[in-house]
Amino acid sequence: MRVIAKKILREFWEKHRDSESHLKAWYKEASRATWTNPSEVKSEYPKASILKAGGVVFNICGNNYRLVVDINYERHWVFIRFIGTHQEYDKIDANKI
């Protein structure tokens, strides 16, 4: 999968140092993945939440942070839509970002 855009993750871990190793690991795993549907994502990340229209919410750093992505399975693209604290996540509608 091609993850777009790593810069968002980098800017986040520069502010939240405890997330750096977790986000780097997620990025590496997602970049190597060959997901073709949401169930494949769920089998690799059982605690991930599948949203409408292919979006996925990943728990990062013991659920301290939330990462919301859209996945285009045909083109093998992962678009980062949101990364934030659990409190920040609670203030958004992950289906509409």
Side-chain angles (χ1 to χ4, degrees):
M1 305 297 279
R2 181 172 177 212
V3 180
I4 304 167
K6 186 176 183 180
K7 179 182 176 186
I8 296 168
L9 300 178
R10 188 178 311 113
E11 288 172 352
F12 187 82
W13 76 54
E14 286 173 356
K15 293 178 186 174
H16 304 274
R17 289 290 179 187
D18 61 326
S19 69
E20 183 174 1
S21 63
H22 298 269
L23 289 171
K24 284 181 176 179
W26 177 88
Y27 180 86
K28 186 176 181 180
E29 292 166 9
S31 295
R32 292 182 177 169
T34 56
W35 301 317
T36 59
N37 59 59
S39 64
E40 289 182 358
V41 176
K42 192 75 171 162
S43 69
E44 193 171 331
Y45 291 92
K47 293 185 178 184
S49 300
I50 306 300
L51 302 172
K52 299 173 188 173
V56 180
V57 180
F58 293 95
N59 299 322
I60 303 294
C61 203
N63 204 22
N64 289 330
Y65 307 110
R66 294 280 179 96
L67 172 63
V68 181
V69 303
D70 281 335
I71 300 177
N72 183 315
Y73 296 100
E74 289 180 13
R75 295 183 184 221
H76 303 282
W77 292 344
V78 177
F79 296 95
I80 297 170
R81 295 293 184 205
F82 171 86
I83 177 75
T85 66
H86 202 282
Q87 279 184 321
E88 292 167 336
Y89 173 82
D90 288 342
K91 294 177 184 176
I92 66 163
D93 182 347
N95 286 302
K96 293 184 179 179
I97 61 167

